[in-house]
C-alpha cells in the first residue's frame, strides 16, 4: 500500500499549517524535502512554505490515480474529507496518526481506497526537521 501511494506524481496535505511545530507543516516539508510535487490544503492560509494553498478538495486537479492525499486533521474533520476525496474518485489516502478512527478506516476500505493508517509519513520517508524550503518566506 505504501509503495503504491508513494508512486503518485502529485501530493496534497489536508490540514497543512504555517506553524513549523505542527505535523501539518512537517508532512508538507517532508514531501518537499524528498522533491515531491506537493500542495497544501488549508482554508485559512493563502501560502504555506511559499506554496499557494488550495482551500477545497474540489480544487485538486490531475488524474485521480496519480494523486496522493495526506490527511492531518482531527477524526471528526477527517471523516468529511474522506467522503469529499471519494467523490473525486481519488483512492490514495494516508491518514497521519491522530487523524484516523476505526469507523473512518472501515469506511475508507469499503470505498475501495488505498488507505494507509497507523503509519507516519515522516518515519517512512525520513524527515529532517531543520529542512527549510528554498521558496519559504519564513
Amino acid at each position: 500500500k505504501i509503495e503504491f501511494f508513494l508512486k503518485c506524481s502529485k501530493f496534497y496535505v489536508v490540514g497543512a499549517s504555517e506553524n513549523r511545530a505542527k505535523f501539518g507543516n512537517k508532512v508538507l516539508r517532508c514531501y518537499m524535502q524528498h522533491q515531491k510535487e506537493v500542495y497544501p490544503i488549508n482554508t485559512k492560509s493563502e501560502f504555506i512554505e511559499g506554496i499557494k494553498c488550495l482551500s477545497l478538495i474540489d480544487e485538486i486537479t490531475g488524474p485521480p490515480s496519480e494523486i496522493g492525499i495526506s490527511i492531518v486533521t482531527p477524526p471528526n474533520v477527517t471523516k468529511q474529507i474522506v467522503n469529499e476525496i471519494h467523490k473525486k474518485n481519488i483512492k490514495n489516502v494516508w491518514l497521519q496518526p491522530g487523524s484516523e478512527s476505526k469507523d473512518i478506516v472501515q469506511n475508507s476500505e469499503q470505498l475501495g481506497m488505498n488507505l494507509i493508517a497507523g503509519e507516519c509519513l515522516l518515519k517512512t520517508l525520513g524527515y529532517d526537521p531543520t529542512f527549510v524550503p528554498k521558496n519559504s518566506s519564513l
Side-chain angles (χ1 to χ4, degrees), residues 97-136:
S99 65
E100 77 273 41
S101 73
K102 191 175 178 180
D103 289 345
I104 294 168
V105 170
Q106 284 179 325
N107 182 45
S108 301
E109 289 173 349
Q110 286 172 349
L111 294 173
M113 293 183 161
N114 175 41
L115 181 79
I116 299 155
E119 300 282 340
C120 180
L121 179 85
L122 306 180
K123 288 182 181 176
T124 300
L125 283 181
Y127 171 68
D128 176 1
T130 64
F131 173 76
V132 178
K134 290 178 184 153
N135 58 347
S136 177

Side-chain angles (χ1 to χ4, degrees), residues 4-12 37 60-69 89-92:
F4 191 77
F5 179 92
L6 292 174
K7 286 182 182 174
C8 292
S9 59
K10 214 186 240 191
F11 298 90
Y12 294 85
E37 183 178 346
I60 292 174
T61 59
S65 62
E66 295 183 22
I67 293 170
I69 299 182
N89 203 29
I90 297 168
K91 303 284 186 207
N92 293 300

Side-chain angles (χ1 to χ4, degrees), residues 11-17 23-25 27-28 31 38-42 68-72:
F11 298 90
Y12 294 85
V13 180
V14 180
S17 172
F23 282 98
N25 182 283
V27 169
L28 180 72
Y31 280 121
V38 63
Y39 301 93
I41 299 180
N42 181 302
I69 299 182
S70 286
I71 301 177
V72 192

